[in-house]
C-alpha cells in the first residue's frame, strides 16, 4: 500500500533588493537618452579640449570659451536650420550666400534710412523669408533637386550681394547702439550672440520634439509617400522649412554686420554652408532625411568651434582647417552609411 506524499513547495523566487538594478538601469537609461552619436561627439570634444589645453593652458579659460561661442554663433544658427531642412529630406547649400546678402542689405538700408537699425534689420529678415520661399518654390513647383536648386542659389545670391554692394563692404553700423549691443552686449555675463543662438536652438528643438509640426517634419523626411497618404501637406512644410532657413540665415547676416561693423557681401560668409552641413551631419542628421536632433547639431558646432579655435591659436594655416572640415564631413557620412548598412555605390551588397 503506497503512502501519499506531500509535494514539496517550489523554491521561493529571489526578491531583488530595493536598490538592485537601479544603478545599472539608471545609467543605461541615461546613456540611451543621450544617444550613441552624442556620446561619440562628447568624447571627441573632450579629446580636443584635453589636447589643446595641454598645448595652451589658456584654452579652457572662461574668456576663450566665450570667444569660441561667439565665433561659432553664425555657423551654429545656420546649422540649426540646416538640420530642419535635412530632416525634411532636403538640403540648402545657399545659406552662406544668403547670410552675405542679408549682411549687405541690413547695412545699406540702415545707412539709406538715416541710421535706422530696426528698419535695416527688419528689411534683411523680410528679404531672408522671401529668398527662402524662392528656394522652396523652385524645388517644389520647378521639381528641381534641392542640391541643384540651392547650388544655383549659392551663386545667384552671392552675385546679387556683390552687384548691389559693388563688391565692397557697405555702411558703418558700430556707432549705432542696437548693433553695438548685438556685437558687444552681455546678458548675465554671456555675450548676446550666444543667447541668440541658444534661443533659436531651444525654439527649434521644442518645435521638432513637442509639436505636431515637428512630428510631421520627421514623417515627411522619413517617408514622403506615407506622409502624403496620411494627409500631410508636403508642399506647405517644405516651403515653411526653407522660409525659416532664409529668416535665420538673414539673422546670421545681421549678426555678421554687427560683428564686422559693416555689410559684408562675401567676407565672413563664404564657406558657412560647408560648416552648417558638416555640423548637421556630425550631429547625427541622416542626409536622406527623417533623422536628426538639435542637441546633436549643437554638440557638433561646439566640436568644430573648439577645433577651429585650437588650430588658430596654435598658428595652423587656415587651409588645413578647411581640410579638417572636409575630412570630418566625409567621416560623418561614412559612419552613417555603415550604421544604416547602406550598399556601397558601385560595389555588390
Amino acid at each position: 500500500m503506497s503512502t501519499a506524499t506531500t509535494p514539496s513547495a517550489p523554491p521561493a523566487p529571489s526578491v531583488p533588493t530595493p536598490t538592485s538594478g537601479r544603478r545599472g538601469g539608471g545609467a543605461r537609461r541615461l546613456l540611451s537618452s543621450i544617444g550613441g552619436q552624442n556620446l561619440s561627439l562628447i568624447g571627441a570634444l573632450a579629446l580636443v579640449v584635453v589636447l589643446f589645453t595641454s598645448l595652451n593652458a589658456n584654452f579652457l579659460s572662461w574668456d576663450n570659451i566665450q570667444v569660441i561661442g561667439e565665433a561659432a554663433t553664425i555657423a551654429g544658427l545656420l546649422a540649426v536650420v540646416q538640420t530642419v531642412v535635412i530632416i525634411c529630406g532636403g538640403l540648402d547649400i545657399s545659406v552662406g550666400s544668403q547670410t552675405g546678402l542679408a549682411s549687405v542689405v541690413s547695412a545699406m538700408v540702415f545707412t539709406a534710412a538715416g541710421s535706422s537699425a530696426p528698419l535695416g534689420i527688419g528689411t534683411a529678415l523680410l528679404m531672408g523669408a522671401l529668398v527662402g520661399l524662392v528656394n522652396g518654390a523652385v524645388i517644389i513647383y520647378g521639381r528641381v533637386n534641392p542640391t541643384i536648386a540651392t547650388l544655383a542659389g549659392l551663386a545667384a545670391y552671392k552675385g546679387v550681394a556683390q552687384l548691389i554692394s559693388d563688391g565692397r563692404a557697405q555702411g558703418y553700423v558700430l556707432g549705432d547702439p542696437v548693433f553695438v549691443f548685438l556685437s558687444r552686449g552681455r546678458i548675465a555675463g554671456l555675450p548676446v550672440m550666444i543667447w541668440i543662438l541658444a534661443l533659436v536652438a531651444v525654439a527649434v528643438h521644442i518645435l521638432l520634439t513637442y509639436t505636431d509640426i515637428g512630428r510631421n517634419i520627421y514623417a515627411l523626411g522619413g517617408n514622403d509617400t506615407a506622409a502624403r497618404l496620411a494627409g500631410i501637406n508636403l508642399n506647405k512644410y517644405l516651403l515653411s522649412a526653407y522660409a525659416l532657413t532664409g529668416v535665420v540665415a538673414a539673422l546670421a547676416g545681421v549678426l555678421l554686420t554687427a560683428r564686422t561693423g559693416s555689410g559684408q557681401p562675401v567676407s565672413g560668409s563664404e564657406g558657412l554652408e560647408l560648416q552648417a552641413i558638416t555640423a548637421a551631419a556630425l550631429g547625427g542628421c541622416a542626409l536622406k532625411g527623417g533623422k536628426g536632433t538639435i542637441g546633436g547639431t549643437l554638440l557638433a558646432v561646439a566640436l568644430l568651434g573648439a577645433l577651429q579655435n585650437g588650430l588658430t591659436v596654435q598658428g595652423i594655416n587656415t587651409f588645413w582647417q578647411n581640410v579638417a572640415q572636409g575630412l570630418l564631413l566625409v567621416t560623418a557620412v561614412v559612419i552613417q552609411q555603415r550604421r544604416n548598412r547602406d550598399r556601397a555605390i558601385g560595389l555588390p551588397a
Side-chain angles (χ1 to χ4, degrees):
M1 183 177 181
S2 61
T3 59
T5 59
T6 303
S8 60
S14 59
V15 179
T17 59
T19 58
S20 65
R22 285 188 181 178
R23 291 181 181 176
R28 284 193 295 271
R29 284 194 296 271
L30 177 62
L31 294 177
S32 177
S33 64
I34 295 174
Q37 181 78 22
N38 291 347
L39 285 173
S40 300
L41 288 172
I42 292 171
L45 180 59
L47 286 175
V48 168
V49 169
V50 169
L51 171 64
F52 288 118
T53 302
S54 66
L55 297 173
N56 180 4
N58 293 324
F59 179 78
L60 207 54
S61 67
W62 178 240
D63 288 340
N64 194 52
I65 291 174
Q66 293 183 80
V67 169
I68 294 173
E70 284 186 283
T73 295
I74 293 175
L77 287 170
L78 299 181
V80 167
V81 286
Q82 190 75 250
T83 298
V84 177
V85 173
I86 292 176
I87 291 173
C88 286
L91 192 68
D92 196 339
I93 304 176
S94 67
V95 287
S97 295
Q98 291 182 52
T99 299
L101 179 57
S103 176
V104 169
V105 168
S106 65
M108 292 182 71
V109 173
F110 167 82
T111 303
S115 300
S116 173
L119 188 57
I121 294 171
T123 303
L125 295 178
L126 183 61
M127 182 221 63
L130 179 61
V131 166
L133 287 172
V134 168
N135 280 346
V138 170
I139 292 166
I140 294 169
Y141 302 110
R143 300 187 178 183
V144 180
N145 181 280
T147 302
I148 301 301
T150 56
L151 182 62
L154 168 70
Y157 305 140
K158 179 179 178 180
V160 172
Q162 291 172 320
L163 282 171
I164 63 176
S165 66
D166 200 22
R168 298 193 300 265
Q170 294 292 319
Y172 180 77
V173 302
L174 285 184
D176 181 82
V178 175
F179 282 103
V180 170
F181 177 71
L182 290 175
S183 63
R184 302 176 184 174
R186 291 178 178 273
I187 299 176
L190 283 176
V192 170
M193 295 181 68
I194 295 179
W195 280 109
I196 292 173
L197 172 59
L199 289 174
V200 171
V202 168
V204 175
H205 170 73
I206 291 173
L207 176 74
L208 290 175
T209 308
Y210 300 107
T211 69
D212 290 337
I213 294 174
R215 285 185 282 274
N216 291 340
I217 287 174
Y218 279 103
L220 167 61
N223 189 327
D224 58 349
T225 301
R228 184 174 62 253
L229 292 175
I232 298 174
N233 188 328
L234 306 187
N235 292 350
K236 180 181 73 174
Y237 279 96
L238 277 176
L239 277 174
S240 300
Y242 278 99
L244 174 65
T245 300
V247 171
V248 176
L251 175 60
V254 170
L255 296 182
L256 177 62
T257 300
R259 283 192 67 188
T260 60
S262 59
Q264 301 292 331
V266 176
S267 178
S269 61
E270 198 165 29
L272 287 175
E273 55 282 330
L274 174 62
Q275 295 180 43
I277 295 171
T278 301
L282 278 175
C285 281
L287 296 182
K288 292 182 178 180
K291 181 182 178 183
T293 64
I294 299 302
T297 296
L298 289 181
L299 278 173
V301 168
L303 173 61
L304 291 172
L307 182 63
Q308 186 176 33
N309 178 269
L311 292 174
T312 300
V313 170
Q314 293 303 313
I316 305 299
N317 192 306
T318 55
F319 299 152
W320 284 109
Q321 297 177 27
N322 294 332
V323 171
Q325 283 190 49
L327 291 175
L328 284 172
L329 178 56
V330 170
T331 301
V333 175
V334 168
I335 291 173
Q336 282 187 21
Q337 295 290 97
R338 295 298 182 183
R339 283 182 174 175
N340 298 334
R341 297 182 179 179
D342 290 337
R343 184 177 70 84
I345 296 174
L347 295 177

